[in-house]
Amino acid sequence: MFLDRAQAVARAVRAAGIPKTPAGIFLYSSRTQDLGFDTTEQKVAWGAGHVTFAPGVKLGSGGTTRIHFGNGSSISASVLDPRPALTEAIGTTYDNCGHVHVPPSKCRLTITGASLTTAKVDTSSGPATVPAWSFTAKGKSRPMVVLAISEDVLKPVVQPVPPPGLAKPAPGLVGSERLTRIKGSTLTFSLSHGACDTDLRAHVVEFEDMVVIGGTRGPAPTGVACPLILLSKTMTVTLSAPLKDRAVISAATGARLIPW
């Protein structure tokens, strides 16, 4: 079953064109390291983007710095000023003020200060130490820590795009949506499965231009009430040759996977 699926996926991927590995350094952590809301009003105000600066508040400026990675390397980067850093951290807003027992008059966060600090994050180039702004706000017991590096430098994770026309996987196929490690001929990835799935197995089919990974499961037990939860199990497969520049493709979706 898996071999047939892998061959169908390979044909669909080739027809659409094998996606290139996204360029740049991708951020796997959140841009908001620690928000520490004390009340629902504060949380809703943040989500709505109702965040202002107190009159006369003194804010620092960005400048330049270096992002240091766990392997000893580093890159130069500009530090965002507090206001644009806050805007990027809030992201897309949703105004829920007045709809969740939060009156508009209390749906407001007022920034009272900002100081530059650092935060540890996970990236596609490994763990890194980056600059961050620590904001104090009126009525909050703890500061809000947000990254001070632009999305142009630490990019959002690119969601893989499945090839068009690929049929849905057959029952019994288990999807792999997260590739966690590539080391020589060894691939480590996670399989998503149900709470009562049995005989969970990882599979890989190698081609000259790609490898297709995924898994299979045995039949669900009968007469058993299974909780409707999705679990994840880490699996490892060994290729017959080092991966090199071959693409790693999900058997479930046909999308290219990159380690994260």
Side-chain angles (χ1 to χ4, degrees), residues 56-149:
V57 63
K58 294 183 178 181
L59 301 174
S61 59
T64 59
T65 188
R66 299 196 70 82
I67 298 176
H68 296 278
F69 298 93
N71 61 6
S73 64
S74 66
I75 60 171
S76 178
S78 298
V79 180
L80 289 175
D81 287 343
R83 293 178 188 273
L86 196 63
T87 299
E88 285 205 8
I90 294 172
T92 304
T93 59
Y94 177 70
D95 195 342
N96 212 18
C97 298
H99 299 286
V100 287
H101 309 294
V102 179
S105 60
K106 293 186 178 181
C107 199
R108 179 70 58 186
L109 264 178
T110 303
I111 303 298
T112 57
S115 59
L116 197 59
T117 182
T118 60
K120 295 186 181 299
V121 297
D122 291 324
T123 77
S124 57
S125 295
T129 301
V130 302
W133 287 106
S134 178
F135 292 101
T136 55
K138 184 178 180 180
K140 276 187 92 285
S141 61
R142 292 188 294 161
M144 301 177 292
V145 179
V146 306
L147 300 192
I149 293 295

